[in-house]
Structure formats: C-alpha cells, structure tokens
Amino acid sequence: MSWSWSELRPMDPYTVRMVEPFSQLHEKALLLLYQPLIGSMAVNLYLTLYYRLERDAYMCDESTHRELMITTAEELPTILDARKRLEAIGLLKTYMQKQNDERVFLYELSTPMLANEFFADPFLGVFLQNRIGVTKFRQIRQRFSTPKIDKHQWEEKTVAFNDVFTSLKDRELNREDREDSEELVGERDRSSLAVNDRQFDFELVKTFLPAFFDHDAMLTDSVKKDVRSLSFVYQLDEMEMSRLMIEAMIGDDTIDIERLRTVVKNWYRHQHGQNPPKLGLRTTADEEAPSPEKPEQMSEDEKMASYYNRISPYELLESISEASVSPPDIKLAESLVHDYKLPVGVVNTLIDYVMRTHDQRLDAPLVQKIAGDWSRKKIKTVEEAMNHAKQEYQKRKQVKDKPSKSINRPSQSKNKKSQQNQDKLPKWLTGERQEEPSEEKRKKAEEERKKFELLLQKYKKGDS
C-alpha cells in the first residue's frame, strides 16, 4: 500500500492501552473468526501489541515504531496496513498527540467479539461465510456452540444471594469515590462496526417512499443504523432499499428490522444466487480516486481512471457483458487481486483492455501473462496501468499493420471489420483525443444540466 512519512515514521513513539480483560475465548475468536477476514499480519500485530502489556497491567511503557519493525520483522508500510485493518474491523483505536514537535501514538486495543456477538453481527458473519465457505463456516460455528438443554426437565437448586449472605449496614455500603483520572478495566461501550454516513443518503430514500408515510417515525436512529449496514453489505442503492423497506413495513410508520434482513437476503439470493456477498479491501487508489463531483473539469482519461477506481471487477464484467458473469471470470478477477497483488483499479484496467481488444473474451492465459508483467513492474495506479495498456496496444497494432509478403491484398470486409473493432475501443487506449469544448458549449451544457435537475425535482414532488 502507499505510505508517506507524514503519516507514520519509524522514530515515532507509541504506547499500548487496554481497558478490557483478554481471555482464551477472545484469542480463539481472533484466530478462527477474524483472521480469515483481516489476514495473519494484522492478527500478529494485535498479539504483538497485546503482549507488550505486562501481566495484570493495562498500559505499557513507551516504545518506538522502529522497535516494532524489528519485533515483527516487517517494514513500516506493512505494519501501517495491518494497523488500519485492525482499526476498520473494530479491534484497535489509534490516537495521536503532538509533544514538543514530536508525534506520540496511543494504541487502544479492544477485545474481539465473542462468538454470539460475531455471528449476530450484520457484517462479519456474512463475510466470514463467503471467505471460508459454507462447510468450514458451519464447522467453526460448531466449535463455538454447546448443546441446548431443556431446563423444564430439570429442577433448579441454585441458592439465592440472601440465603448465604447477611445484609450490610449503610456505612458498610459506602465505597471510596473513584478518581476521575481512573478507568476500571472492563468498562466499554461496544458498538458495531462503523459505516461512513456519506455512503447512504436517507433524504434520497424519503423521496422514494410514499408521502403519507411518517418518514421521521420510520427512520429512527436504530433503523438507520441497520439500513446503512444492510445497504453496505448487499450493495443496495437508495431506490432499491426503499422498495425493500416498504416490504418490511408494519403499519404506516414501523419497519420490522428482522423482516427487512430476511427481505434483503431473499432479494440478494434472487439477484446473485446462493453465494453471500464478499468482503474486499479498499486500496489507496480507491481513497485517492478523483472526485466525480465535477466531471466536466476532468479529461477523458481522468474520467476513465476515476471509473476504474470506483467500481468492483464484478461490476465491470457485468457492465461489459450485459449479462450474468461466469464463475471462471469472477475467479480470474479475484486471483488478480489476491494472487498478483494488483490494486482493484489496475485489475479493472487490465480486464477492460483485454476484453475490448479480444472481442469481449477474457483470455485467461493472456490476462495472467499481463498481470505477471505488471506485478513485476510494480504498477500500482490506474494511470500507470493505462499507459502500459496503450504501449501494449500500439505494439500489437504495429505488428498487425506491417505489410505482408503475400501479394494478396486484404479484402474490403476485413478492413471493414478492423474498423468496427477500432470503433469499439476506448479513446484512452487508441490515443485519440476529443476536441475540448469551448466556453460557450460548457455554459450551455451547464444550463441544460440545471434545467434537467429542476425537471427531476418537479417530477419527484408530483410523484409523491
């Protein structure tokens, strides 16, 4: 991953803090439930930080990241990547403070969710099942399970508190006030994984719901939290989610969350089959992708680079084929990310290049050959991938355009087919440049866009 000295340096000191007891059950959950999702390096970093704490101590002495690099035998970018995975999945909180022109980091470890919390979580249980498969998922779940007992067939003999202890005098009940600077171990308000609010627009959802519904009563904080999680996991947009929310309604102002989860899962199975959604890691290219807010200020190449960075390989394949994507193509795309370690945007560039130059076919040997070449050349950005694809295309074109020794001239139909194939290729690949629109054309386009938005708003108001 990309890393800069402004984010973290080897000489930066850090300390570790933990406010919860860590048990064998937590370690078992970390290794069996979390490790398939975040990888062994992230688990190793968690345990390394944890074992910096002395026995019965919940905060350690200060150390430097250089010592952490020596202990883990890893470079700082790898440690930073592992740290961010721990943060994202709720196992670590990172704080920074400036002290005399020096940055000091505080790493606060959180215990992993135990099995009952983990499997009930709307994110983690679904992603783990997809990562390890249904059979292995059931086996692991069984390891955290115990047979149910019908307690109605048993007579409880447990004694009550006052059967053993006597009452205390009021003065014995008084305890020393705890100092504000102290925090008892075990105090923690565990919250579910955070999903960025910007990923889902509830104001837009309201425009798709019937006007007679009490929107504010429907969209309580707890409902919004669950809807946001479901939309993220199952990649639902506001319009589709609003339709499913109506199916899960009880009366005119209440959404049954359990019913909504069932409705969403059934919708997903109908659309995508039995395989649950997968968890993917965002790349630096995803975070640094050009903002699509003002596309008129971007060149054609920048628009394509932004497009490749924003979508998943599955969505790209689906848009090109205009049909369901075959399992071999999905498996090939996943191998480019996991086996060849290519960023998602670079994978999209490679897939689009091969399919457009090979009559919409994803030639696996060619894809793997190019992926190996790009991996060796350490191509990490979409711009670099597009430039290499252009070079490859120009080389192939030069070889194709070389005059043949045969006296037979190419037929008119072959020339026509070649031209048709050329027309299907994106302009960033062929090197063609579109004429830049004049200022007058830009203003006219902006006016047309505003008119369209006004019409759209009127249509929504009339529809509601």
Side-chain angles (χ1 to χ4, degrees), residues 137-164:
F137 179 81
R138 287 174 179 166
Q139 290 173 353
I140 289 180
R141 190 182 178 111
Q142 190 67 31
R143 292 186 64 176
F144 289 93
S145 304
T146 185
K148 282 188 176 181
I149 296 175
D150 185 0
K151 293 181 181 178
H152 295 293
Q153 298 179 2
W154 298 76
E155 180 185 356
E156 186 173 1
K157 305 297 289 183
T158 310
V159 298
F161 178 83
N162 59 351
D163 290 335
V164 178

Side-chain angles (χ1 to χ4, degrees), residues 323-342:
S324 59
V325 185
S326 67
D329 286 353
I330 296 175
K331 190 174 181 181
L332 178 61
E334 287 182 353
S335 76
L336 298 179
V337 176
H338 297 294
D339 299 334
Y340 290 90
K341 308 298 181 187
L342 295 176

Side-chain angles (χ1 to χ4, degrees), residues 213 218 245-260:
F213 282 179
M218 284 173 58
M245 287 165 66
I246 293 172
E247 290 186 34
M249 292 284 294
I250 300 175
D252 292 342
D253 59 3
T254 305
I255 295 175
D256 185 333
I257 291 300
E258 289 303 320
R259 187 175 174 184
L260 180 61

Side-chain angles (χ1 to χ4, degrees), residues 234-237 240 243-244 247 261-273:
Y234 294 97
Q235 294 297 292
L236 285 159
D237 61 21
E240 192 63 52
R243 186 183 68 78
L244 299 178
E247 290 186 34
R261 287 176 181 171
T262 303
V263 168
V264 169
K265 287 177 183 177
N266 290 340
W267 171 87
Y268 187 88
R269 289 192 186 105
H270 178 72
Q271 295 289 328
H272 303 285

